[in-house]
Amino acid sequence: MRLILLGAPGAGKGTQAERISEKYNIPTVSTGNLLRAAVAAGTELGMKAKSYMDSGSLVPDELVVSLLAERIAEDDCKNGFILDGFPRSVRQAEVLEEMGVTVDKVLSLEVTDENIIARLAGRRACLKCGATYHIESKPPVKEGVCDKCGAELIIRDDDKVETIQKRLETFHSQTEPLKDFYGKKGILRLAYDQFTPDANTAEVFKQLQ
């Protein structure tokens, strides 16, 4: 199965990608990881990407897709792969097609903005030991204090409501149009939020059948 996983930040793509990967024995391919690995390895494409990254510019879509094409030509992708975090726009989807990267299904994790905000804004982290909590699903014994080391718990910048709202706005304007793009091709599947990771996994597998 060659799959693209769509969903807003906080929709649970990482968790579900892991479970799909395990069930279907296919790797998750992250463009961020590919870029970092190519730069670290000093490959030709990696050096090209590094020149853009060093100057603070976005790496061109064609270069990212070239890296993707190289990665999915490897043996462990013969049975398929999961693309997580790419494409992020209709233009990137068009570049994927232009460069011959085809997919069988596109799965969108459908979670309301209200639930995304509740999920992310409720997270708390310990600066000292790195332990993570959630005020509803995994609260610390004592409010605001880490169970493991007793240090103060904080809200990370990424989990502040105004940051989440900005990320959601970007998702709706840039990435959500992909649903229409792939819907017209007849390969879009929607997995609606079932409110727990396990129930969401059951819904995901139902949609992938």
Side-chain angles (χ1 to χ4, degrees), residues 8 12-13 17 38 41 70 74 88-89 94 97 99 107 126 131 133 159 167 170 190 203 206 208:
K13 294 190 298 297
E70 268 190 5
E74 292 177 20
R88 287 177 190 261
S89 66
E94 289 169 346
E97 285 191 349
M99 297 186 71
L107 180 71
C126 175
Y133 301 86
D159 296 333
R167 292 171 72 199
T170 302
L190 304 178
E203 177 65 13
K206 184 176 150 191
L208 292 179

Side-chain angles (χ1 to χ4, degrees), residues 59-75:
V59 178
D61 295 337
E62 287 78 5
L63 187 50
V64 176
V65 175
S66 295
L67 278 168
L68 262 180
E70 268 190 5
R71 173 68 186 89
I72 63 178
E74 292 177 20
D75 282 351

Side-chain angles (χ1 to χ4, degrees), residues 160-176:
K160 289 177 178 170
V161 173
E162 56 271 28
T163 308
I164 299 164
Q165 285 171 332
K166 278 181 189 164
R167 292 171 72 199
L168 284 169
E169 282 167 20
T170 302
F171 169 76
H172 290 311
S173 65
Q174 292 183 14
T175 306
E176 203 159 36

Side-chain angles (χ1 to χ4, degrees), residues 85-146:
F86 195 92
R88 287 177 190 261
S89 66
V90 170
R91 177 62 197 135
Q92 289 182 343
E94 289 169 346
V95 173
L96 269 183
E97 285 191 349
E98 286 161 12
M99 297 186 71
V101 178
T102 57
V103 293
D104 306 312
K105 287 179 185 170
V106 176
L107 180 71
S108 177
L109 303 181
E110 299 288 303
V111 186
T112 65
D113 286 4
E114 291 75 17
N115 284 339
I116 293 272
I117 290 168
R119 200 180 280 182
L120 297 183
R123 295 198 295 204
R124 299 292 181 270
C126 175
L127 272 180
K128 192 173 176 186
C129 74
T132 56
Y133 301 86
H134 192 281
I135 55 175
E136 289 177 9
S137 59
K138 190 188 170 188
V141 175
K142 186 179 177 186
E143 190 179 337
V145 178
C146 179

Side-chain angles (χ1 to χ4, degrees), residues 10-109:
K13 294 190 298 297
T15 299
Q16 299 308 329
E18 211 171 275
R19 294 176 179 188
I20 296 166
S21 172
E22 204 172 284
K23 180 178 170 72
Y24 290 97
N25 193 29
I26 54 176
T28 300
V29 178
S30 152
T31 51
N33 290 346
L34 283 182
L35 281 167
R36 284 187 287 274
V39 170
T43 65
E44 186 184 342
L45 286 174
M47 288 301 94
K48 282 183 185 172
K50 186 174 187 295
S51 66
Y52 288 99
M53 292 155 79
D54 286 349
S55 66
S57 307
L58 283 174
V59 178
D61 295 337
E62 287 78 5
L63 187 50
V64 176
V65 175
S66 295
L67 278 168
L68 262 180
E70 268 190 5
R71 173 68 186 89
I72 63 178
E74 292 177 20
D75 282 351
D76 65 337
C77 290
K78 277 184 178 166
N79 292 328
F81 52 81
I82 305 159
L83 290 189
D84 178 10
F86 195 92
R88 287 177 190 261
S89 66
V90 170
R91 177 62 197 135
Q92 289 182 343
E94 289 169 346
V95 173
L96 269 183
E97 285 191 349
E98 286 161 12
M99 297 186 71
V101 178
T102 57
V103 293
D104 306 312
K105 287 179 185 170
V106 176
L107 180 71
S108 177
L109 303 181

